[in-house]
Each structure stands twice: as structure tokens, then as C-alpha cells.
Amino acid sequence: MTIPPAAAIGPSTSTSTAASDAVLVTSMIRALAVFRWVTLGGAVIGVILGRSALVEPVAAVVLLGAATGLTGYLYLLGRRRPTELVRWSWLALEVGLGLTLLVADGLVFSDERAQSLPWAWPAAGIAAVGIAAAGRGSSPLLDHAGLLVAVVVGTVSVLSEIVLLGRFSGPDQIGVLFSKIGLWLLVGLLVGPLMRRLLRAERLISVAKAREELARELHDGVLQTLAVVQRRSDDPDLAALARDQENSLRTYLSDDRLIGAAAAPSGRLGEAAVDEAGAGLASMEVTGGLDAVLRRVATDAERRHRLKTQVVVAADCPPLSPAATVAVAGAVTEAVTNAAKHGAAERVTIFAEPNEGDDGATVFVSVHDNGSGFVVDGIIEGIGLSRSIRGRISEQGGRVEIASRPGKGTEVKLWVKADSRWDR
Amino acid sequence: MGEGRQSLGPVRIVVADDHAIWRTGLKEDLGDNFLVVGEASDATEAIDVVKRTKPNLVLTDLHMPGGGGVAVAKAVAGDVPVVMLTVSEAERDLLEAVAAGAVGYLLKSIDADELRRQLWRAAQGEPVFSASLAALVLTEFRRLRKQAPDGEGISDREREVLQLVARGHTYGEIGEELHISAKTVENHVRNILKKLRLNRKNELIRYAIDHGIE
């Protein structure tokens, strides 16, 4: 079996995230029903209390009736066929009725009344548009749909005050108008980004869950089988193949590149990091966390040289910056290559954990082989070990120690600063 | 846990795994120095077989019906060394099994020579500590120290030993590096295991008190 690259499993992943996106979007819009009922109740109370100032009582009742009808219908729709809530027709109707209520407010009351028809009610429409737009993807228009509707509502409100009623005067009325517009703009501004973050968080969770399930399945099945093949096959090539596949599979499972892809489709760690480090590792794929990267280095080394590697990364190992990850990957590759080529090593252990001395502000990495070893001061500069490893690590402000003795193998130890953006 | 075997001759071993193909394969790989005195395909059966046959060593799969290797270790690790077999090193169950009394674990993809060597050592009472297990235990003690800074942690020397194991050094190499005997290294490892078990027990007691379970 060959492990498909992340891109190959992309389509099925996106189908399932689309489904869970839709569920989240509709449930958020359904939740707006509560808001509508509350603001509608406020409007009814407002009309009852201000009934002495009503000049068009019939129109007021009709409008309130229409708002009640739509609130009730959307509530029922949310309970029975929630997916229909995101249809543009319903969203347009809700925003339209909101605008009508705003304009009519000045007509059904006499002058001295500032506002009592449901001025907060249109905020539900603004929020619904913002949520639905976030669920439909990303474009300049969709990203700002909520805010756009808020601007339209605000503009209509101001125009109706000035043009229709000509009463845009007095500090009280201006104050009330601006606080209303402020509320609408705030809702329009916040709802889109909030919804987008929610969707992203949910996507991350579902991808992580899927991977966990996959990992469990594979542990019990495929890894088990690959282990049987390695142990029971008399054919060394077949055993080597099984080991190689086992390594690939483990690398894949330890890789958080799937999660990274879901979080930020354009946020690949690779190219940018390689440029930044200038380490000339462009041909090597550097995505995912340190664990995944080190496993990939080890798998590659096993393929190229006949040697067994073991990768041990502590679960609480703090992340490195992309540039530092590239540097460590390069240094470790170099150390493993040297172990195989010059040290004739059979086994290499790659280990990483938070550095004990400074409570994890630094990551400690060790590459230890059982090869022939050498006299540290004599040979080391000659084989370029120093230049290629020390160079990479010191560029990142890190430190390198090399310990080796003839017949006792070699250990390369690195200390590299953890990513400071990561909160310990 | 038994402090090694008294008698010479083959190690009497019980093999527990829910896949028959594994048990057959293992039996073939064990060679003349081991004598399989019992087999089991789940934890309950394994405990039963161990009690009946009184082996020198138990080799059990971590994941099996009936509570898996953890249940086996809990039940019999006081009388006989228990070694876990697993396909994955990244599992918390593994730590659980070791805390329950297992002397260590082996990966299922281990080659036959290495398997025999490690099992032989385990039968003599030595902890079978791989690099990954050492890293797992180091992480666990870091976690414990963060949770309870004044609780009983491991000493600096023990930490040093553990990290050297995680870095792929043998007991002999560690002894040389620290100027102590390989036997002393082994004792350090045994103490670390003891502390891990003690910590786990204390944690369970604390949990019970916190949640009002008598």
C-alpha cells in the first residue's frame, strides 16, 4: 500500500467538512430565532406603552403582525427544515421587512415619539446574512455581506428620518439614531469573522477526530500486518519493503499537515520557511511539526542507507519556528547521513524533548548512532560535519555539541530556541 | 515482581495475544531458550493460565479483549515479570501498563534476535526499557512536576539515566558515561519504575478523595 499524499485525500475530507459546515451554519441561524422573539416582544410592549402617540394604529398592528408572522414562520422552518434558512429569498425577506419597519416607524407615530417599532429586529437579518455568507465560502463580497447589509439598513434609516420625515434634528434624536446605527454596524462587522472562526475551529476538530479514528484503525490492522510481514518473511527485500511502508505510515499519522491544510489553505509551512532559512533544502518537504519532520528525515535515511532508525519525540516538546524546523531537519539529515556513510552505523536514535534547564524555552535534539565513531578534534572538520550542522543551527541562534570516540559511536546534540509565539 | 530466576534451563513463558498468527510466529521465533508453557487469547484467560502454569515470564499484547495487557499486568506482575507487546509506542495505555507493573514493552516489529535478547534479560529481572518508553516516562514526570511541584519526582541522576536511555544508549554505555556500573544503572531504572507506580497510585487516591469516592 502506498500512503496517499494529503492532497489526494482532500476531496473526501472537504465533502465531510462541507456537511458539518452546513450543520453549524444552520444551527447558528436557528439560534437567531430567540433574538427575534425577544426584540419582537420589546416592540409589542413599546407600541402598547406609546399607544397615545399612534397616528396610524391599524398600520402599526399590521406591521407588528407581519413581523410576528415572519418570526414565527422562520422559527418553525428552523425546527422542521433548517437547511432552508440559508436561502437568499428568506434572508432578503427578513432584511426587507426590517427596513419596512424602520421606515414605517416614523409614519405610524406622531412627531414627538422617537422610536418604538422594532428597531433591534433588523439586527437579526444582518446577523443571518453574515452567517449564511460565511458558510458559502470566501470572497470580498461574502466576507463583508453582514457589514454591507448593516450599511444599507443604517443608510435607509438616516434617509427616512431626513427625507420622509424631515425631523433629523435635536441632540436626542441624533443620539438615538447613531446608537442604533452603531449596533447594526457592530453586528454586521462581527458576525462574519466570528462565524468564520467557528467554522475553522470545527473543521480542525473534525479533521483531528478523523485522523485519530484512522490511526486507531490502522494500528489494529495495517501496522499489525506490516509487523507480521517483517517478522515472518524470509525475503529480506519484502521485510525491508514492509518496514519502509510502516515508516511512511507512522510518518503520515504523526503529521499535522492535514490539520494545517484545513486551518489555512494557503498557509503552507514549506516554501516560506525554506526561503527564510536559506538552507537550500528546497527539495525536502518540510511541513508539519517536529515529530513529523524528524520521522520523514528518518524514513528517507532508511531508504537511502541500509540502517535502522528510531525517532523518539516527547509529546510535550514545544514547537519550533518554521525556519528552526528546517534548520533542525537539515542538521539531523546531515548527522544521520554521516553516521551511515562515515561511521558505518546500523542504528540511529533521534530524540527530542523540551530542554530541562530552561523549562522548555529550548528544544533539545540528539542524534545518536552505534557506528565506528572518531576522534572528535581530528576528523570532524574534515568531513564537513561541523560546517553543515553548526552552520545551520548557529544561524538560528542554537548550539551544537558533538561527542564521539573511536568504537563508541557518535552523538550530535542540538539546542534550538522554541517558537516564542507558543505559550507555555 | 520476581528478582530473576533461580533455576537454569529454558525460560518458561506464557504468550497472550488475540491473534493466533502472532502466537504461532512468536513461538517459532523464541527458539530453544524459551519454553511456551501456556497461551491465551484474552486477558481473563491469560491471568488464569499464568496462575495455573506459574511461568518465569509473561509476554502479552497490550490490546486484547478483557482489559488487555493492563489487566494482565495488574493481576500477575507481582509474581512474574510481564512484558507488553505493542504496535504503537504513542499510547497512554503503555504508560498505564508499566505503571500497573509491567517491566517494559517490545514493539511487534522487533527482529527475532532482539526479541530473544530482550526477553532473556526480562526473565532475569531486568527492566526492558526502550528509548520510547524512557521518553514517555520523562514526559510523565514532567507533567507530574508541573501538577505537584513538591510531590516526589525523580532525582537529577535518575533523569540523566532516563534521558540517556531515550537517546539510545545501552546500560553499559550509560554506566561508562556516568562512571557507575551497569548494575547501578539498572537499579536507577528500577527505582524510576517504582516511583512511576507510586505516583500513579497516589494520583488515583487523590482522584478518589477529590471526587468523594471512598
Side-chain angles (χ1 to χ4, degrees):
Chain A
M1 189 188 81
T2 305
I3 309 304
I9 0 177
S12 67
T13 317
S14 65
T15 316
S16 71
T17 50
S20 72
D21 279 6
V23 171
L24 188 61
V25 167
T26 48
S27 63
M28 288 300 289
I29 294 189
R30 275 183 65 183
L32 284 176
V34 179
F35 178 82
R36 282 192 209 101
W37 283 119
V38 170
T39 54
L40 184 68
V44 172
I45 292 168
V47 168
I48 293 170
L49 291 179
R51 62 188 177 282
S52 56
L54 275 179
V55 282
E56 300 280 354
V58 178
V61 169
V62 168
L63 285 169
L64 275 183
T68 310
L70 189 60
T71 301
Y73 188 78
L74 289 178
Y75 169 75
L76 289 175
L77 194 65
R79 295 194 60 129
R80 300 212 177 119
R81 294 191 300 277
T83 48
E84 288 188 20
L85 281 174
V86 292
R87 281 193 187 174
W88 289 125
S89 52
W90 288 119
L91 297 169
L93 185 64
E94 184 176 10
V95 173
L97 185 61
L99 288 174
T100 312
L101 290 171
L102 282 176
V103 175
D105 185 67
L107 298 173
V108 298
F109 285 111
S110 61
D111 262 9
E112 59 268 28
R113 286 283 313 162
Q115 197 62 242
S116 26
L117 272 183
W119 63 269
W121 201 82
I126 296 169
V129 170
I131 293 168
R136 283 185 192 224
S138 189
S139 76
L141 185 66
L142 287 172
D143 286 352
H144 302 101
L147 187 61
L148 256 153
V149 175
V151 168
V152 168
V153 171
T155 311
V156 167
S157 180
V158 171
L159 286 179
S160 76
E161 294 281 324
I162 299 172
V163 177
L164 270 173
L165 307 167
R167 67 170 187 190
F168 190 50
S169 60
D172 282 0
Q173 283 182 6
I174 292 177
V176 168
L177 190 61
F178 274 102
S179 58
K180 286 189 295 185
I181 293 173
L183 173 91
W184 295 325
L185 289 179
L186 201 66
V187 171
L189 200 64
L190 288 181
V191 69
L194 265 176
M195 194 61 210
R196 242 169 267 282
R197 261 160 212 255
L198 258 177
L199 285 171
R200 209 176 79 170
E202 195 181 74
R203 260 172 238 154
L204 287 182
I205 292 167
S206 66
V207 168
K209 263 193 200 150
R211 182 201 288 271
E212 220 168 77
E213 266 166 41
L214 183 69
R216 206 171 303 128
E217 285 290 311
L218 290 174
H219 278 162
D220 290 352
V222 182
L223 281 178
Q224 183 99 278
T225 310
L226 288 173
V228 175
V229 173
Q230 284 173 65
R231 290 178 42 68
R232 306 214 45 200
S233 170
D234 298 328
D235 179 350
D237 287 340
L238 181 60
L241 179 68
R243 174 151 179 90
D244 186 55
Q245 288 299 311
E246 184 192 340
N247 283 336
S248 303
L249 196 54
R250 284 188 197 279
T251 305
Y252 173 74
L253 291 174
S254 68
D255 194 348
D256 46 8
R257 129 180 77 165
L258 269 185
I259 295 179
S266 57
R268 255 197 78 211
L269 197 61
E271 289 108 353
V274 172
D275 290 348
E276 212 182 315
L281 280 168
S283 62
M284 196 170 86
E285 204 185 353
V286 185
T287 53
L290 190 61
D291 192 7
V293 170
L294 291 180
R295 277 182 198 281
R296 211 170 298 128
V297 167
T299 309
D300 286 352
E302 286 207 359
R303 267 182 208 149
R304 267 182 289 122
H305 321 285
R306 283 254 161 176
L307 102 169
K308 283 202 167 182
T309 59
Q310 165 164 234
V311 178
V312 183
V313 177
D316 58 347
C317 201
L320 298 173
S321 72
T325 309
V326 175
V328 169
V332 171
T333 304
E334 204 63 46
V336 175
T337 307
N338 270 305
K341 266 196 188 159
H342 303 288
E346 291 163 350
R347 282 168 201 278
V348 175
T349 304
I350 302 168
F351 169 71
E353 73 166 3
N355 190 38
E356 192 66 15
D358 50 16
D359 229 6
T362 313
V363 173
F364 168 69
V365 181
S366 132
V367 182
H368 177 224
D369 68 61
N370 71 342
S372 56
F374 48 78
V375 181
V376 172
D377 293 334
I379 284 174
I380 195 159
E381 305 295 332
I383 57 175
L385 194 64
S386 183
R387 200 165 14 91
S388 49
I389 294 180
R390 279 184 216 276
R392 286 193 170 98
I393 298 304
S394 64
E395 258 176 48
Q396 300 300 318
R399 190 159 63 85
V400 179
E401 268 179 31
I402 297 170
S404 184
R405 268 190 301 156
K408 296 284 178 188
T410 304
E411 183 167 13
V412 176
K413 294 184 265 187
L414 320 169
W415 289 264
V416 182
K417 268 199 207 75
D419 195 342
S420 56
R421 283 166 298 179
W422 187 65
D423 190 19
R424 272 185 302 280
Chain B
M1 188 196 330
E3 290 286 318
R5 299 182 306 135
Q6 265 74 51
S7 67
L8 290 169
V11 173
R12 303 175 69 251
I13 184 171
V14 166
V15 177
D17 195 303
D18 51 337
H19 292 98
I21 183 167
W22 265 110
R23 300 200 302 269
T24 335
L26 280 170
K27 275 198 290 187
E28 279 173 23
D29 285 342
L30 285 174
D32 297 336
N33 288 330
F34 296 87
L35 176 69
V36 178
V37 293
E39 287 181 45
S41 57
D42 64 52
T44 326
E45 194 187 350
I47 294 164
D48 198 47
V49 171
V50 169
K51 294 224 156 118
R52 223 176 39 233
T53 57
K54 304 216 180 312
N56 308 121
L57 186 66
V58 177
L59 183 59
T60 172
D61 191 8
L62 182 60
H63 291 295
M64 278 189 310
V70 179
V72 178
K74 268 187 190 145
V76 306
D79 311 316
V80 53
V82 177
V83 177
M84 292 292 143
L85 261 183
T86 172
V87 280
S88 167
E89 301 171 289
E91 297 185 56
R92 248 199 103 70
D93 293 9
L94 214 49
L95 205 59
E96 200 68 45
V98 173
V103 295
Y105 76 92
L106 297 171
L107 274 188
K108 284 194 168 179
S109 52
I110 190 174
D111 57 55
D113 281 344
E114 188 68 13
L115 174 82
R116 283 193 289 268
R117 206 164 28 237
Q118 298 284 1
L119 286 182
W120 183 259
R121 290 174 56 196
Q124 314 309 317
E126 284 181 38
V128 183
F129 234 63
S130 71
S132 300
L133 182 58
L136 214 60
V137 174
L138 277 169
T139 311
E140 175 69 2
F141 275 106
R142 265 199 298 276
R143 183 185 73 81
L144 287 168
R145 198 185 53 201
K146 245 173 225 169
Q147 260 176 13
D150 32 333
E152 200 201 355
I154 45 175
S155 69
D156 286 349
R157 179 39 67 93
E158 283 164 347
R159 218 202 92 76
E160 219 173 344
V161 167
L162 210 48
Q163 206 209 39
L164 281 162
V165 176
R167 276 150 57 189
H169 294 257
T170 63
Y171 290 173
E173 288 168 0
I174 296 171
E176 228 172 276
E177 166 121 14
L178 302 178
H179 309 291
I180 51 179
S181 72
K183 208 75 201 157
T184 313
V185 174
E186 211 182 282
N187 280 335
H188 279 309
V189 171
R190 211 171 276 133
N191 270 338
I192 293 163
L193 281 177
K194 236 178 250 163
K195 285 183 181 175
L196 182 71
R197 277 163 214 153
L198 193 70
N199 268 308
R200 183 50 52 98
K201 214 182 271 172
N202 288 344
E203 212 167 359
L204 286 176
I205 293 169
R206 251 201 316 279
Y207 180 88
I209 292 171
D210 288 351
H211 291 75
I213 308 161
E214 289 294 324

